[in-house]
Amino acid sequence: MRRTDSPRPAPTSAPQYRVTPLVRAAAALGACTLLLTAGAASSAAHRDSDSDSVAPVLTRAGLDPALVEGRGADVAFLEQEAENSTTDGTVISSRQAYDLAAEASGRSAVQLEPGQFVEFTLPAETNAITVRYSVPDAPEGGGITSRLNVRVDGGHLQKMDLTSEYSWLYNQYQFTNDPNAQLLHPEWWTVECDGPLGAEGCDRESREITTPFRPMHFYNEQRMLLGRTYEAGAVVRLEVPKNATADLTTIDLLDTELVAPPHVEARGVNVLHFGADPRGKKDSAPAMDAAIARAKSHGRPVYVPPGHYRVDRHILVDDVTIVGAGNWYTSFEGSEVELDEPTEDGSVHTGVGFYGRWAEDGGSSNVHLSGFAIRGDVRERIDTDQVNGIGGAFSDSSFEDLYIQHTKVGLWLDGPMDGVTIRDNIIVDQIADGINFHLGVTNSEASNNFFRNTGDDAMAMWSDAGGDLDDPGPQNEGNTFRNNTVQTPTLANGIAIYGGKDITVERNLVADPLREGSALHAGARFGATAFDGTIAFTDNTTVRGGVEDLNWQFGLGSLWIYALDQSIDADIQVTGDHYLDSAYNAILLITDWEHKDANVIEGVSFRDVRVDGTGTSVVSARVRGSASFENVDARNVGWAGVNNCGAFGFPAAGSEFSLEDLGGNDGATITPWGDGPANWLGRYTPNVISCNDRPEVVPPPAPSAW
């Protein structure tokens, strides 16, 4: 069925790169977790000279906000990282996949034993907080709950019941909740059992793995209304009680917010009049259906007052507006329900969600949803399941001011459809994607949305060819991702574009992708239609991207362009992007080894780009083709400006990939031939072979003002 929600089939054989004669020994990026003392944590914050309180250190995606001004989402909350706050706990830091600290924002967090605390000073008036945390799994999986105490200025005690029921996935795709499971697909190639450079975790002869195998998706977040407004300077203390269930509680960050009073939709058809239960004791789905029917017949919106409404199935929406009191006040919550028999599209569960009609049934139009939360109960990844927050086909529709948590995908939209607007939403703790424009979505935009802790691409446009690249179905065209913030996708990419025509990705902030993906990605893969027209990446900022691909065992780029299924020869324009603190490369252009003599990436242009910190190179090319560079400034480059392997043919005339220097490409780099200032690009043009399959990694310093 075409409504499968995964663009990510798992490998059945080894990745198609091999070790070349130019291989040098790989250098891992700090595989062990760094432990810092509580004193080190406290010193990161700033003491107020007039009191014992600590002045708050505000960040955006773990960065000084000045470094990302005008980029990313403009959100109502202020972020403080726990490692910058006062604590008697332990600061942990890591960039190694499958490590608890590596999935934290900024790759650092604070770990608390029972009786320990972390304190945050309020930077502004606040009546609501969000805590991002992790607690351990149960020994047999399934999660535990554990208490966290919350006090402001030593006052009234409030309690949070933290849970790991929606965390801790293991093993191979599509993953399991069982930490003790052996390989889910023992016939698949794995780097641990089969990789040429070796990796820990598998007995190569017996293929028995060390469990838990590949733990991931550790974090969750919880919101709390404080019951009153506190002034700037008040201190929020998060303390683990001495009798807490969890041996360790990890606090990543605190978001603080001044939430406005509940919204009232005076003209709305009130769902309470139809029997909806705001206490969540009885099923409110029939009341929602009745209120929607009444609202449509009278040309009025549906209003959902404050409350927790239990809904355990899809609510069908078409030609209707549904307005809540605000996503802090109105929420739809439901259990994942096992179906008596699978549906035609392969679903074996249903759950809370708002769905339009499928495109083959005519789709839905003029749907407008705003001002409420959708909280699901999805704890495992089953790609055929329709357990998304919002799904189906919509045209001329909008989704605004929603908070979506614990569904499979926040919004998975199956076209063809036209004219969709997705803005001002918060989408967190998803098992798979945050949003996906799939199969012929046109003239649509996602802007000013905030994503954190997705289990696959946070934002994706998948122009699915419908299984036939020679005779594809309708393509994605004319779509935009603008001013969104993406943090900590645990798998795959921050923002991914799979085929399509005239696509714009601009002014986004993407931080901390972890594995098998990068911050920004353009991929001719997953059976997508060819790239066509202009594909524009403009004024985006990435931080701590360009991670190691654990299967290939070499580094990706913060921007990763991948010609897998076919060549890429559209007009790809990269303008004004900033790539900060890239673990390996800032930019990677690549094809699969099997297709290295056929697929090309042609004519990509880079202009007015800044690169501040790479573990290895500014540009790594492992493909045929060409790119041009103008006013691309680089500093703190770990190995060399360019790592040009081309198609690994190493012809005497030079690499099969050429780089055009259009001027203004400045920056001091470290090169294989010694330290010193250099035009990072000049000595490598037009096609000098500088191939090192796995260059030594030099961790860059923290990014700073240019």
Side-chain angles (χ1 to χ4, degrees):
M1 301 298 293
R2 70 182 183 187
R3 291 196 300 268
T4 58
D5 292 6
S6 173
R8 194 164 311 285
T12 56
S13 59
Q16 300 299 305
Y17 271 97
R18 62 186 184 190
V19 178
T20 73
L22 296 180
V23 165
R24 300 184 181 184
L29 265 183
C32 58
T33 297
L34 304 178
L35 299 178
L36 304 179
T37 66
S42 296
S43 67
H46 305 291
R47 287 281 175 185
D48 188 320
S49 60
D50 297 328
S51 71
D52 291 333
S53 65
V54 176
V57 179
L58 297 182
T59 56
R60 292 182 60 204
L63 282 173
D64 179 348
L67 297 178
V68 293
E69 187 174 357
R71 302 182 180 200
D74 181 10
V75 295
F77 55 83
L78 299 172
E79 173 191 282
Q80 295 183 69
E81 297 280 350
E83 63 270 19
N84 296 332
S85 302
T86 301
T87 183
D88 61 352
T90 301
V91 175
I92 58 174
S93 299
S94 173
R95 296 201 185 189
Q96 186 69 22
Y98 313 126
D99 191 290
L100 180 67
E103 287 189 17
S105 172
R107 309 302 178 97
S108 293
V110 168
Q111 208 157 56
L112 305 176
E113 297 178 6
Q116 292 185 321
F117 71 91
V118 58
E119 288 182 342
F120 302 84
T121 301
L122 295 181
E125 284 188 313
T126 298
N127 61 9
I129 61 172
T130 300
V131 178
R132 186 170 193 254
Y133 67 89
S134 177
V135 292
D137 198 1
E140 303 301 319
I144 64 171
T145 59
S146 189
R147 182 65 52 82
L148 181 70
N149 292 336
V150 180
R151 290 186 190 269
V152 184
D153 279 349
H156 173 65
L157 173 66
Q158 298 189 68
K159 299 176 181 180
M160 278 189 172
D161 287 322
L162 309 183
T163 183
S164 53
E165 294 172 343
Y166 300 99
S167 308
W168 294 90
L169 298 177
Y170 306 91
N171 220 291
Q172 297 164 292
Y173 180 89
Q174 300 176 41
F175 318 116
T176 176
N177 301 119
D178 181 3
N180 304 307
Q182 285 294 306
L183 288 174
L184 300 180
H185 305 283
E187 73 280 7
W188 287 0
W189 185 96
T190 67
V191 66
E192 292 88 351
C193 297
D194 307 292
L197 300 183
E200 296 181 359
C202 178
D203 183 304
R204 291 188 170 225
E205 184 173 336
S206 68
R207 298 186 70 80
E208 182 175 336
I209 55 173
T210 303
T211 59
F213 185 62
R214 297 181 178 178
M216 59 175 285
H217 207 57
F218 305 116
Y219 287 84
N220 196 43
E221 61 185 61
Q222 189 162 328
R223 293 170 133 192
M224 174 181 281
L225 288 167
L226 297 174
R228 54 161 288 192
T229 298
Y230 293 89
E231 300 296 318
V235 176
V236 177
R237 183 183 180 102
L238 306 180
E239 185 171 19
V240 181
K242 292 183 179 180
N243 62 349
T245 305
D247 293 334
L248 290 171
T249 299
T250 303
I251 304 297
D252 180 21
L253 54 78
L254 182 78
D255 293 331
T256 58
E257 184 173 347
L258 183 64
V259 178
H263 167 75
V264 177
E265 188 73 15
R267 291 186 60 253
V269 173
N270 193 318
V271 298
L272 299 182
H273 298 161
F274 297 84
D277 178 10
R279 300 167 301 170
K281 301 296 184 182
K282 68 176 184 177
D283 183 9
S284 290
M288 286 296 299
D289 293 341
I292 288 170
R294 176 68 62 85
K296 291 174 65 173
S297 67
H298 287 74
R300 296 165 59 189
V302 173
Y303 174 57
V304 189
H308 301 276
Y309 299 88
R310 183 166 67 83
V311 172
D312 295 327
R313 62 165 171 85
H314 300 166
I315 301 295
L316 182 63
V317 287
D318 183 23
D319 190 26
V320 67
T321 296
I322 302 176
V323 181
N327 65 51
W328 279 88
Y329 301 111
T330 300
S331 66
F332 294 94
E333 304 171 10
S335 300
E336 187 177 71
V337 178
E338 186 172 357
L339 299 172
D340 292 335
E341 58 183 43
T343 62
E344 184 181 351
D345 62 11
S347 292
V348 294
H349 296 94
T350 189
V352 60
F354 290 80
Y355 273 66
R357 302 181 191 279
W358 301 120
E360 56 263 38
D361 298 326
S364 291
S365 63
N366 193 32
V367 174
H368 305 283
L369 308 181
S370 65
F372 56 84
I374 304 171
R375 289 190 173 92
D377 187 40
V378 180
R379 308 169 190 226
E380 59 184 341
R381 179 163 177 170
I382 301 174
D383 281 338
T384 54
D385 266 358
Q386 289 293 341
V387 287
N388 306 317
I390 295 173
F394 300 90
S395 291
D396 301 319
S397 297
S398 64
F399 308 96
E400 305 178 56
D401 188 34
L402 304 175
Y403 180 88
I404 307 178
Q405 184 184 33
H406 296 155
T407 58
K408 188 181 68 176
V409 175
L411 296 95
W412 182 284
L413 305 182
D414 283 303
M417 66 182 75
D418 183 78
V420 175
T421 299
I422 303 170
R423 62 187 171 212
D424 303 332
N425 303 292
I426 297 174
I427 300 172
V428 296
D429 301 332
Q430 299 295 304
I431 287 290
D433 299 30
I435 66 173
N436 197 306
F437 287 179
H438 177 231
L439 199 69
V441 179
T442 57
N443 303 312
S444 296
E445 177 175 318
S447 61
N448 209 60
N449 301 289
F450 181 88
F451 303 85
R452 189 158 56 201
N453 196 39
T454 60
D456 212 302
D457 298 326
M459 305 185 72
M461 300 185 200
W462 181 18
S463 185
D464 191 349
D468 189 349
L469 293 177
D470 295 324
D471 185 21
Q475 66 180 337
N476 286 359
E477 181 175 353
N479 300 319
T480 300
F481 287 164
R482 177 182 291 119
N483 277 108
N484 302 283
T485 295
V486 171
Q487 290 182 259
T488 61
T490 62
L491 175 72
N493 306 282
I495 297 178
I497 310 300
Y498 303 114
K501 179 179 180 180
D502 294 336
I503 304 298
T504 299
V505 178
E506 66 179 4
R507 298 199 300 272
N508 301 286
L509 168 60
V510 183
D512 297 309
L514 189 63
R515 67 184 186 95
E516 296 179 43
S518 200
L520 303 173
H521 179 51
R525 53 195 304 213
F526 304 128
T529 65
F531 285 104
D532 193 10
T534 300
I535 311 299
F537 291 88
T538 306
D539 294 339
N540 303 286
T541 293
T542 73
V543 59
R544 296 175 297 272
V547 299
E548 181 187 20
D549 185 280
L550 302 177
N551 289 319
W552 282 336
Q553 296 184 283
F554 57 73
L556 299 176
S558 289
L559 171 65
W560 173 28
I561 302 177
Y562 188 20
L564 176 61
D565 294 344
Q566 57 188 307
S567 295
I568 298 176
D569 59 2
D571 181 16
I572 298 182
Q573 300 180 6
V574 183
T575 308
D577 278 7
H578 295 171
Y579 305 129
L580 310 181
D581 195 2
S582 302
Y584 285 78
N585 306 291
I587 300 161
L588 173 68
L589 306 103
I590 191 170
T591 187
D592 186 84
W593 181 268
E594 182 180 357
H595 304 295
K596 67 183 181 64
D597 296 323
N599 289 354
V600 301
I601 299 174
E602 286 286 6
V604 183
S605 65
F606 295 88
R607 186 173 68 254
D608 302 330
V609 172
R610 291 179 178 176
V611 175
D612 187 359
T614 73
T616 53
S617 301
V618 178
V619 176
S620 178
R622 305 170 76 104
V623 65
R624 296 175 180 272
S626 65
S628 66
F629 301 85
E630 180 179 4
N631 295 328
V632 177
D633 294 340
R635 65 186 184 190
N636 301 317
V637 176
W639 180 72
V642 176
N643 188 1
N644 190 349
C645 297
F648 289 85
F650 309 121
S655 172
E656 301 93 341
F657 192 88
S658 63
L659 304 97
E660 184 179 6
D661 187 345
L662 299 180
N665 300 299
D666 302 321
T669 70
I670 302 170
T671 75
W673 303 280
D675 298 352
N679 174 342
W680 69 268
L681 178 62
R683 71 179 67 196
Y684 302 104
T685 58
N687 58 343
V688 173
I689 297 171
S690 56
C691 183
N692 184 333
D693 204 43
R694 292 171 176 84
E696 182 178 354
V697 175
V698 180
S704 60
W706 201 263

